[in-house]
Amino acid sequence: MQSVGATVIGAGVIGLACARVLARQGIETVVLERHGVCASETSARNSEVIHAGFHYPTGSLKARCCVVGRRQLYEFCNTHGVSHRRCGKLVVATSAHQEEQLLLLQRQGHDNGVDDLRLLSASAACALEPELACTAALLSPSTGIIDSHALTLALLGDAERAGAVLALRSPLRRGSIEDKGIVLESGGTQSLRFRSSIVINAAGLWAPEVAAALAGFPPALIPANFHAKGNYFALARRAPFSRLVYPLPEAAGLGVHLTLDLGGQARFGPDVEWLPDPTPGQPIGEFDYRVDPARTSTFVTAIRRYWPALPDDALLPAYAGVRPKISGRSAPAGDFVVQGPAEHGIPGLINLFGIESPGLTSCLAIAEHVLAELQGG
């Protein structure tokens, strides 16, 4: 049986960042991707925002990886020619009782190591963005936007230059945990069995199902898998803002916000549309990424709280993504889970569960954390 040093399951930005780190350590690394292209699920269907790191609970893995990862990502973009822009964002209060929440966000940001947040009055915020309606705002100068496709290519290029090999259309069929490593079976019409000393489960939306496919892995350590769809609408005219505009966070996301692409086009989203809970043992499948035009009225109501001048009929259904969640609709948002040998006792195996936002921002920091886990740090 053939053997490799490391196998990464999933070629999204998290998987590619992990493959890059492993290959640069001189470890023979293979990346398995079930689709015909890299990063076609969560990595390609998001807001493409580089988050500052103040939205997440202090001490959480999300907060720590986001703050470190944001700095790393800006540096990576500069050294690898990845298009991005540090445009900044405003988190807005639209009523007096919300202003206390802005103060709490600012304090949390300070505790997380985000030291450039500024609280603005309504007049100061509107001086920056004249079409904005708010009673106060929190300015985050270090928030930015990025070309996620270019980031994917840059991570893949680095990994391949270090010797990593990408195998497309190579879904994981099954695996087994053995004394001499983890035996994996992968492939389409023709499968290949091989042994891997290290396995990184970076399957994103389907990471719990991948863990369940490894015979010998304790089922009790596999979290439930929940999926929350996020829909986006595009603005069919010139963007009225030069910065991103966010409402205060909501239960399962950061609210219907205005973001920009690198061409200056505005889009709004994502909302939170909970999908049916998965059936235990459900095979890896596909999602319906179409955006229902009937959701337009809900978006209009949310947007007009901070942009009252939104014209009628200005929104067009754009695209949707799905968040890989490990907590359901009635539970608080879960933290990133990087589950290594210290948790499950299996040498060389790392499971990455619940890597939703700010996963894109955090990809380089998560990869370093994975390496530290493998090295026993």
Side-chain angles (χ1 to χ4, degrees), residues 90-320:
L90 292 165
V91 183
V92 299
T94 54
S95 62
H97 77 271
Q98 290 186 338
E99 293 176 24
E100 179 63 27
Q101 293 175 261
L102 288 183
L103 285 170
L104 293 175
L105 269 182
Q106 185 182 34
R107 290 173 193 154
Q108 181 170 272
H110 181 270
D111 292 343
N112 290 358
V114 185
D115 55 9
D116 61 351
L117 300 174
R118 286 197 292 133
L119 196 63
L120 303 179
S121 66
S123 59
C126 291
L128 296 177
E129 300 290 354
E131 295 209 35
L132 185 65
C134 67
T135 61
L138 189 64
L139 174 64
S140 170
S142 56
T143 298
I145 52 177
I146 187 172
D147 181 341
S148 60
H149 177 68
L151 173 62
T152 298
L153 293 178
L155 290 170
L156 176 60
D158 264 11
E160 289 183 330
R161 278 188 290 274
V165 175
L166 171 65
L168 298 173
R169 299 185 179 88
S170 299
L172 179 73
R173 291 178 172 271
R174 60 187 64 85
S176 61
I177 296 164
E178 302 182 1
D179 291 339
K180 295 183 179 180
I182 300 172
V183 174
L184 303 174
E185 182 178 338
S186 173
T189 55
Q190 294 184 332
S191 61
L192 173 68
R193 293 182 77 243
F194 60 98
R195 181 176 284 109
S196 187
S197 300
I198 295 169
V199 173
I200 311 300
N201 174 7
L205 294 164
W206 307 106
E209 282 74 12
V210 165
L214 301 177
F217 188 82
L221 296 181
I222 303 174
N225 199 11
F226 302 97
H227 296 132
K229 185 177 179 180
N231 299 278
Y232 292 83
F233 282 77
L235 182 65
R237 58 190 62 208
R238 186 180 64 84
F241 301 99
S242 59
R243 296 165 184 82
L244 312 186
V245 179
Y246 278 57
L248 283 159
E250 58 183 39
L254 297 183
V256 173
H257 52 266
L258 178 148
T259 188
L260 303 165
D261 62 24
L262 290 165
Q265 175 66 45
R267 57 182 180 261
F268 297 91
D271 61 355
V272 179
E273 179 188 353
W274 286 98
L275 301 179
D277 292 344
T279 302
Q282 171 184 329
I284 291 175
E286 304 295 339
F287 294 103
D288 182 354
Y289 287 110
R290 290 174 296 182
V291 177
D292 184 356
R295 304 183 79 82
T296 306
S297 60
T298 303
F299 270 70
V300 168
T301 300
I303 295 163
R304 282 183 173 158
R305 292 191 182 106
Y306 56 82
W307 184 31
L310 171 68
D312 294 333
D313 302 322
L315 298 183
L316 299 173
Y319 64 96

Side-chain angles (χ1 to χ4, degrees), residues 2 45 52 54 68 76 79 108 164 216 252 305 328 330:
Q2 293 183 354
R45 294 177 170 274
F54 60 89
V68 173
F76 183 87
T79 57
Q108 181 170 272
R305 292 191 182 106
S330 59

